[in-house]
Amino acid sequence: MKIINQHSGNYEEIDRLIDRYYEGLTSSEEEKQLRNLLSRKDLPESYKPEQVIFGYFETKKQKRIFMLQPYLRWGTAVAAIVIMAFNLQVFMPTNASNYAFIDGKKTTNVDDIKMHALASLNNVSCDNEEVEKSFDSLNDKEIMKEQLDAFSGLAE
Amino acid sequence: MSDYQFKAEILPIRDKLFHIAQKILAEEQEAEDAVQEVLLKLWHMRDSLNKYDNTAAFATTVTKNHCMDRLKMIRRTDSLDDTYNSRAGTDNPYLQLERKNTEEVLQQIIENLPTLQQAIIRMKDMEEYEVEEIAEITGTKVEAVRVNLSRARKKVREEYLKWTTR
């Protein structure tokens, strides 16, 4: 019983949309809805004309996309060539002459490389205290004393 | 020519085009249909309209040529009717259709519609324009477009049924 109700309900909707279709009142959205309802396999024979007519228009729509816009195909081809040319110009020289290895991986990303280079410089550099200490160790007096000791040792 | 440019440059000369059409076709309804057909034709070629120095003059020429073609067609169908009647028994159009498949039949049914109805049903059912858009392009009332669309759709169904129930 439920199934029958459901079906009659759907027929009512189809009939309502078909009436509106023939009066020129349906919007494109309603026509899409009607097309979906008509694509059901279990519809009575009486819906055959609408099924055929909607099917026909559907095939014309798909053809139209290719027929009306040949310039799109050319446009796509031109765009592809331009992008390829751009890639060749911009990326090829970089790949060929300038690159760096970061953690064993080859890279051409300039920003990445700069970042890593600065980071590694930070590791090498040391703060001012360390520098002073190292200078202390090279103090003139100490050197002179060492030299004198050495010489005095020789003299002994 | 952009959609906006079309509406700003072509639609204002609609009255002028209508007068030209009426001079050639005499009947008001014929002239009205012809102008709508011309406007739809120009709409579909709006991308290339800018290459004409004077689009208004071009639209006028298109209208004149279109109306002359229409006039020839009216005369031809008048004389064709007689030919059909004289040999209807042997080779009427439905017998010719018999050998064709459904797609060809529907195509022929649509091609046999009055040209304005043909243009409108194509735009609505194949190119998915809304009725309101077509009314705007042709400078007519939405109701007028609906009437033509409705006639075209009913005619397609009627002719299709005639073909299947022969």
Side-chain angles (χ1 to χ4, degrees):
Chain A
M1 284 304 278
K2 257 186 183 176
I3 291 168
I4 291 167
N5 281 339
Q6 207 181 357
H7 270 193
S8 68
N10 272 351
Y11 291 156
E12 272 170 32
E13 181 63 2
I14 291 184
D15 291 341
R16 187 185 72 86
L17 288 171
I18 286 178
D19 282 347
R20 282 174 62 77
Y21 172 79
Y22 283 116
E23 292 310 315
L25 293 168
T26 39
S27 64
S28 294
E29 194 51 45
E30 283 176 307
E31 280 158 27
K32 205 185 283 175
Q33 209 182 325
L34 180 54
R35 192 159 48 243
N36 284 338
L37 291 172
L38 283 170
S39 64
R40 259 173 46 184
K41 294 253 164 32
D42 58 340
L43 285 180
E45 191 66 8
S46 58
Y47 293 106
K48 187 81 192 292
E50 284 71 34
Q51 285 181 312
V52 171
I53 292 167
F54 269 74
Y56 170 76
F57 285 140
E58 200 50 33
T59 62
K60 291 294 152 187
K61 273 176 201 167
Q62 282 157 4
K63 280 179 190 166
R64 177 187 159 246
I65 294 166
F66 294 104
M67 275 164 56
L68 275 186
Q69 303 169 339
Y71 63 88
L72 258 187
R73 273 180 290 171
W74 286 108
T76 318
V78 170
I81 291 167
V82 168
I83 289 168
M84 271 167 62
F86 179 78
N87 280 348
L88 282 176
Q89 215 183 355
V90 174
F91 293 110
M92 282 295 283
T94 325
N95 283 343
S97 56
N98 302 314
Y99 57 86
F101 283 98
I102 296 173
D103 297 334
K105 277 183 195 161
K106 192 173 173 179
T107 179
T108 51
N109 186 327
V110 179
D111 291 335
D112 259 6
I113 296 167
K114 272 187 191 162
M115 215 175 71
H116 277 269
L118 285 173
S120 52
L121 281 179
N122 267 338
N123 287 342
V124 177
S125 72
C126 38
D127 55 9
N128 285 342
E129 261 178 60
E130 270 181 291
V131 176
E132 274 169 30
K133 263 187 202 166
S134 63
F135 274 121
D136 280 350
S137 70
L138 291 171
N139 213 318
D140 284 356
K141 282 178 190 168
E142 234 166 276
I143 292 171
M144 283 168 73
K145 200 185 166 196
E146 269 174 28
Q147 299 277 333
L148 284 174
D149 285 350
F151 277 110
S152 58
L154 275 177
E156 268 174 27
Chain B
M1 184 177 270
S2 66
D3 297 7
Y4 173 79
Q5 241 183 317
F6 179 90
K7 285 164 192 169
E9 286 179 31
I10 305 289
L11 290 188
I13 59 167
R14 188 187 199 282
D15 281 349
K16 197 181 150 198
L17 300 179
F18 176 78
H19 285 303
I20 295 166
Q22 203 172 15
K23 265 186 196 165
I24 300 171
L25 296 164
E27 257 186 68
E28 195 182 323
Q29 190 54 51
E30 282 284 326
E32 173 60 32
D33 285 5
V35 169
Q36 290 186 37
E37 285 161 27
V38 166
L39 289 169
L40 290 178
K41 200 186 247 186
L42 292 171
W43 170 261
H44 279 105
M45 60 184 291
R46 65 192 182 285
D47 285 342
S48 54
L49 279 183
N50 275 340
K51 72 178 179 210
Y52 301 99
D53 294 335
N54 187 342
T55 40
F58 176 72
T60 310
T61 312
V62 171
T63 308
K64 276 180 193 161
N65 292 343
H66 187 80
C67 290
M68 293 307 287
D69 287 347
R70 217 183 143 95
L71 200 62
K72 275 182 212 158
M73 224 167 57
I74 296 166
R75 285 180 187 149
R76 202 186 306 147
T77 40
D78 283 349
S79 58
L80 265 183
D81 279 345
D82 301 334
T83 336
Y84 270 149
N85 291 337
S86 65
R87 54 178 189 142
T90 54
D91 197 15
N92 67 42
Y94 296 112
L95 277 175
Q96 287 168 16
L97 284 180
E98 197 170 28
R99 294 165 221 128
K100 295 177 178 173
N101 64 31
T102 316
E103 191 183 332
E104 283 172 312
V105 169
L106 283 169
Q107 190 175 327
Q108 191 158 337
I109 289 172
I110 289 168
E111 280 169 10
N112 286 338
L113 290 172
T115 32
L116 181 58
Q117 289 183 22
Q118 210 180 114
I120 291 175
I121 201 172
R122 280 184 205 278
M123 284 179 84
K124 183 72 179 83
D125 285 347
M126 298 183 199
E127 297 168 31
E128 293 184 310
Y129 280 84
E130 295 290 355
V131 171
E132 290 76 10
E133 289 175 275
I134 302 172
E136 198 183 352
I137 296 163
T138 52
T140 41
K141 286 180 184 157
V142 173
E143 200 43 49
V145 179
R146 274 208 181 110
V147 167
N148 273 314
L149 178 63
S150 169
R151 280 184 192 152
R153 283 172 169 173
K154 283 175 181 167
K155 185 77 177 165
V156 170
R157 181 179 200 274
E158 188 190 315
E159 292 296 317
Y160 171 76
L161 284 177
K162 266 191 206 168
W163 177 69
T164 50
T165 57
R166 256 169 316 114

